[in-house]
Amino acid sequence: TDDAGNSADYLFIVRLDTTAPSLTITSPVSGSNFKYAEGSDKAKITIGGTAFDSGSGSYKVYYDITKDGSSVLKATPSDKDAEASFVNENWSNSADIELSVQENLVLNIKAEDYLGNETSRSVAFVCDSLPPELSDVKITTDKGQYDYYATTVLDLTATAIDAVSGVGTVTY
């Protein structure tokens, strides 16, 4: 307002975004078991999911893979390979992640919007390069004369152990 009583108005439109993006991990699925690629000493794992922010928009997705809380494969915001590719709301790493670690692992994902609001999610999975160990393999059917068996059905027993991903099936 000036001394003569004339006034002017100015309208500001202010947008406020204090909400973090939504984030889901669709690959790998929790509890997934990955074996090493044939003829390789590395497991290939594709990561992917969705990130959406209705405010300022989803900006970047970063990942980190840990074993027992220590980073095995870290992709930081300054690491160009860390940025996931976006198509609409879907994100994925542009290439498979190759891991040479055998163990229970955790994939940590962080989505960040343009204003720095962030959301984190984690999923556990397993990389396993070793076959199960077999022990105590025995035929428990009684032998006949001259160590021949008089039946085509034999009772077999065995112990199978796989400390990393567990034993799925034992087939005789």
Side-chain angles (χ1 to χ4, degrees), residues 15-32:
R15 294 183 198 157
L16 178 63
D17 179 5
T18 59
T19 305
S22 66
L23 175 63
T24 59
I25 300 171
T26 57
S27 178
V29 175
S30 181
S32 296

PDB file of all heavy atoms in Angstrom, residues 15-32:
ATOM      1  N   ARG A  15       4.380 -24.994  -3.223  1.00  0.00           N
ATOM      2  CA  ARG A  15       4.141 -26.427  -3.147  1.00  0.00           C
ATOM      3  C   ARG A  15       5.036 -27.010  -2.061  1.00  0.00           C
ATOM      4  O   ARG A  15       6.230 -26.731  -2.030  1.00  0.00           O
ATOM      5  CB  ARG A  15       4.441 -27.100  -4.478  1.00  0.00           C
ATOM      6  CG  ARG A  15       3.506 -26.669  -5.560  1.00  0.00           C
ATOM      7  CD  ARG A  15       3.809 -27.429  -6.827  1.00  0.00           C
ATOM      8  NE  ARG A  15       3.200 -26.720  -7.939  1.00  0.00           N
ATOM      9  CZ  ARG A  15       3.589 -26.810  -9.171  1.00  0.00           C
ATOM     10  NH1 ARG A  15       4.591 -27.582  -9.485  1.00  0.00           N
ATOM     11  NH2 ARG A  15       2.984 -26.150 -10.114  1.00  0.00           N
ATOM     12  N   LEU A  16       4.453 -27.816  -1.234  1.00  0.00           N
ATOM     13  CA  LEU A  16       5.182 -28.429  -0.124  1.00  0.00           C
ATOM     14  C   LEU A  16       5.201 -29.941  -0.328  1.00  0.00           C
ATOM     15  O   LEU A  16       4.168 -30.551  -0.595  1.00  0.00           O
ATOM     16  CB  LEU A  16       4.492 -28.082   1.198  1.00  0.00           C
ATOM     17  CG  LEU A  16       5.105 -28.677   2.458  1.00  0.00           C
ATOM     18  CD1 LEU A  16       6.523 -28.143   2.671  1.00  0.00           C
ATOM     19  CD2 LEU A  16       4.234 -28.347   3.654  1.00  0.00           C
ATOM     20  N   ASP A  17       6.368 -30.520  -0.241  1.00  0.00           N
ATOM     21  CA  ASP A  17       6.511 -31.968  -0.362  1.00  0.00           C
ATOM     22  C   ASP A  17       7.366 -32.445   0.801  1.00  0.00           C
ATOM     23  O   ASP A  17       8.574 -32.254   0.822  1.00  0.00           O
ATOM     24  CB  ASP A  17       7.165 -32.343  -1.699  1.00  0.00           C
ATOM     25  CG  ASP A  17       7.352 -33.854  -1.855  1.00  0.00           C
ATOM     26  OD1 ASP A  17       6.899 -34.631  -0.988  1.00  0.00           O
ATOM     27  OD2 ASP A  17       7.961 -34.262  -2.852  1.00  0.00           O
ATOM     28  N   THR A  18       6.721 -33.069   1.777  1.00  0.00           N
ATOM     29  CA  THR A  18       7.446 -33.645   2.914  1.00  0.00           C
ATOM     30  C   THR A  18       7.266 -35.160   2.955  1.00  0.00           C
ATOM     31  O   THR A  18       7.655 -35.801   3.913  1.00  0.00           O
ATOM     32  CB  THR A  18       6.943 -33.041   4.244  1.00  0.00           C
ATOM     33  OG1 THR A  18       5.544 -33.308   4.375  1.00  0.00           O
ATOM     34  CG2 THR A  18       7.197 -31.540   4.292  1.00  0.00           C
ATOM     35  N   THR A  19       6.672 -35.703   1.897  1.00  0.00           N
ATOM     36  CA  THR A  19       6.389 -37.133   1.845  1.00  0.00           C
ATOM     37  C   THR A  19       7.462 -37.856   1.038  1.00  0.00           C
ATOM     38  O   THR A  19       7.805 -37.442  -0.060  1.00  0.00           O
ATOM     39  CB  THR A  19       5.009 -37.379   1.193  1.00  0.00           C
ATOM     40  OG1 THR A  19       4.034 -36.634   1.911  1.00  0.00           O
ATOM     41  CG2 THR A  19       4.648 -38.846   1.221  1.00  0.00           C
ATOM     42  N   ALA A  20       7.942 -38.937   1.602  1.00  0.00           N
ATOM     43  CA  ALA A  20       8.945 -39.757   0.908  1.00  0.00           C
ATOM     44  C   ALA A  20       8.274 -40.563  -0.202  1.00  0.00           C
ATOM     45  O   ALA A  20       7.073 -40.837  -0.143  1.00  0.00           O
ATOM     46  CB  ALA A  20       9.611 -40.701   1.903  1.00  0.00           C
ATOM     47  N   PRO A  21       9.034 -40.944  -1.223  1.00  0.00           N
ATOM     48  CA  PRO A  21       8.466 -41.769  -2.300  1.00  0.00           C
ATOM     49  C   PRO A  21       8.026 -43.137  -1.777  1.00  0.00           C
ATOM     50  O   PRO A  21       8.570 -43.643  -0.798  1.00  0.00           O
ATOM     51  CB  PRO A  21       9.627 -41.943  -3.281  1.00  0.00           C
ATOM     52  CG  PRO A  21      10.694 -41.029  -2.845  1.00  0.00           C
ATOM     53  CD  PRO A  21      10.447 -40.650  -1.429  1.00  0.00           C
ATOM     54  N   SER A  22       7.054 -43.733  -2.455  1.00  0.00           N
ATOM     55  CA  SER A  22       6.730 -45.133  -2.160  1.00  0.00           C
ATOM     56  C   SER A  22       7.765 -45.990  -2.884  1.00  0.00           C
ATOM     57  O   SER A  22       8.280 -45.595  -3.930  1.00  0.00           O
ATOM     58  CB  SER A  22       5.315 -45.475  -2.614  1.00  0.00           C
ATOM     59  OG  SER A  22       5.219 -45.399  -4.020  1.00  0.00           O
ATOM     60  N   LEU A  23       8.073 -47.140  -2.333  1.00  0.00           N
ATOM     61  CA  LEU A  23       9.132 -47.974  -2.893  1.00  0.00           C
ATOM     62  C   LEU A  23       8.787 -49.437  -2.686  1.00  0.00           C
ATOM     63  O   LEU A  23       8.422 -49.845  -1.588  1.00  0.00           O
ATOM     64  CB  LEU A  23      10.459 -47.656  -2.197  1.00  0.00           C
ATOM     65  CG  LEU A  23      11.675 -48.504  -2.560  1.00  0.00           C
ATOM     66  CD1 LEU A  23      12.054 -48.335  -4.014  1.00  0.00           C
ATOM     67  CD2 LEU A  23      12.856 -48.144  -1.660  1.00  0.00           C
ATOM     68  N   THR A  24       8.876 -50.229  -3.744  1.00  0.00           N
ATOM     69  CA  THR A  24       8.721 -51.679  -3.635  1.00  0.00           C
ATOM     70  C   THR A  24       9.882 -52.353  -4.363  1.00  0.00           C
ATOM     71  O   THR A  24      10.423 -51.807  -5.319  1.00  0.00           O
ATOM     72  CB  THR A  24       7.402 -52.188  -4.248  1.00  0.00           C
ATOM     73  OG1 THR A  24       7.360 -51.833  -5.620  1.00  0.00           O
ATOM     74  CG2 THR A  24       6.194 -51.617  -3.529  1.00  0.00           C
ATOM     75  N   ILE A  25      10.242 -53.532  -3.883  1.00  0.00           N
ATOM     76  CA  ILE A  25      11.256 -54.360  -4.529  1.00  0.00           C
ATOM     77  C   ILE A  25      10.523 -55.576  -5.089  1.00  0.00           C
ATOM     78  O   ILE A  25       9.888 -56.312  -4.336  1.00  0.00           O
ATOM     79  CB  ILE A  25      12.350 -54.807  -3.539  1.00  0.00           C
ATOM     80  CG1 ILE A  25      13.054 -53.599  -2.933  1.00  0.00           C
ATOM     81  CG2 ILE A  25      13.345 -55.726  -4.223  1.00  0.00           C
ATOM     82  CD1 ILE A  25      14.001 -53.949  -1.786  1.00  0.00           C
ATOM     83  N   THR A  26      10.593 -55.769  -6.399  1.00  0.00           N
ATOM     84  CA  THR A  26       9.949 -56.937  -7.016  1.00  0.00           C
ATOM     85  C   THR A  26      10.961 -58.025  -7.379  1.00  0.00           C
ATOM     86  O   THR A  26      10.583 -59.168  -7.580  1.00  0.00           O
ATOM     87  CB  THR A  26       9.170 -56.531  -8.279  1.00  0.00           C
ATOM     88  OG1 THR A  26      10.057 -55.880  -9.190  1.00  0.00           O
ATOM     89  CG2 THR A  26       8.017 -55.601  -7.924  1.00  0.00           C
ATOM     90  N   SER A  27      12.233 -57.664  -7.452  1.00  0.00           N
ATOM     91  CA  SER A  27      13.266 -58.637  -7.762  1.00  0.00           C
ATOM     92  C   SER A  27      14.570 -58.219  -7.094  1.00  0.00           C
ATOM     93  O   SER A  27      14.985 -57.079  -7.263  1.00  0.00           O
ATOM     94  CB  SER A  27      13.475 -58.729  -9.275  1.00  0.00           C
ATOM     95  OG  SER A  27      14.498 -59.643  -9.581  1.00  0.00           O
ATOM     96  N   PRO A  28      15.167 -59.083  -6.297  1.00  0.00           N
ATOM     97  CA  PRO A  28      14.790 -60.454  -6.028  1.00  0.00           C
ATOM     98  C   PRO A  28      13.651 -60.526  -5.006  1.00  0.00           C
ATOM     99  O   PRO A  28      13.430 -59.584  -4.247  1.00  0.00           O
ATOM    100  CB  PRO A  28      16.062 -61.071  -5.461  1.00  0.00           C
ATOM    101  CG  PRO A  28      16.762 -59.937  -4.790  1.00  0.00           C
ATOM    102  CD  PRO A  28      16.426 -58.729  -5.619  1.00  0.00           C
ATOM    103  N   VAL A  29      12.973 -61.659  -4.963  1.00  0.00           N
ATOM    104  CA  VAL A  29      11.925 -61.914  -3.991  1.00  0.00           C
ATOM    105  C   VAL A  29      12.595 -62.368  -2.696  1.00  0.00           C
ATOM    106  O   VAL A  29      13.603 -63.072  -2.736  1.00  0.00           O
ATOM    107  CB  VAL A  29      10.958 -62.995  -4.525  1.00  0.00           C
ATOM    108  CG1 VAL A  29       9.925 -63.373  -3.487  1.00  0.00           C
ATOM    109  CG2 VAL A  29      10.301 -62.521  -5.805  1.00  0.00           C
ATOM    110  N   SER A  30      12.040 -61.957  -1.578  1.00  0.00           N
ATOM    111  CA  SER A  30      12.602 -62.332  -0.281  1.00  0.00           C
ATOM    112  C   SER A  30      12.770 -63.846  -0.170  1.00  0.00           C
ATOM    113  O   SER A  30      11.869 -64.608  -0.491  1.00  0.00           O
ATOM    114  CB  SER A  30      11.691 -61.829   0.843  1.00  0.00           C
ATOM    115  OG  SER A  30      12.248 -62.161   2.087  1.00  0.00           O
ATOM    116  N   GLY A  31      13.950 -64.264   0.257  1.00  0.00           N
ATOM    117  CA  GLY A  31      14.251 -65.680   0.429  1.00  0.00           C
ATOM    118  C   GLY A  31      14.697 -66.388  -0.832  1.00  0.00           C
ATOM    119  O   GLY A  31      14.919 -67.601  -0.816  1.00  0.00           O
ATOM    120  N   SER A  32      14.850 -65.663  -1.951  1.00  0.00           N
ATOM    121  CA  SER A  32      15.279 -66.276  -3.211  1.00  0.00           C
ATOM    122  C   SER A  32      16.663 -66.900  -3.065  1.00  0.00           C
ATOM    123  O   SER A  32      17.512 -66.390  -2.337  1.00  0.00           O
ATOM    124  CB  SER A  32      15.349 -65.236  -4.328  1.00  0.00           C
ATOM    125  OG  SER A  32      14.089 -64.712  -4.606  1.00  0.00           O
TER     126      SER A  32
END
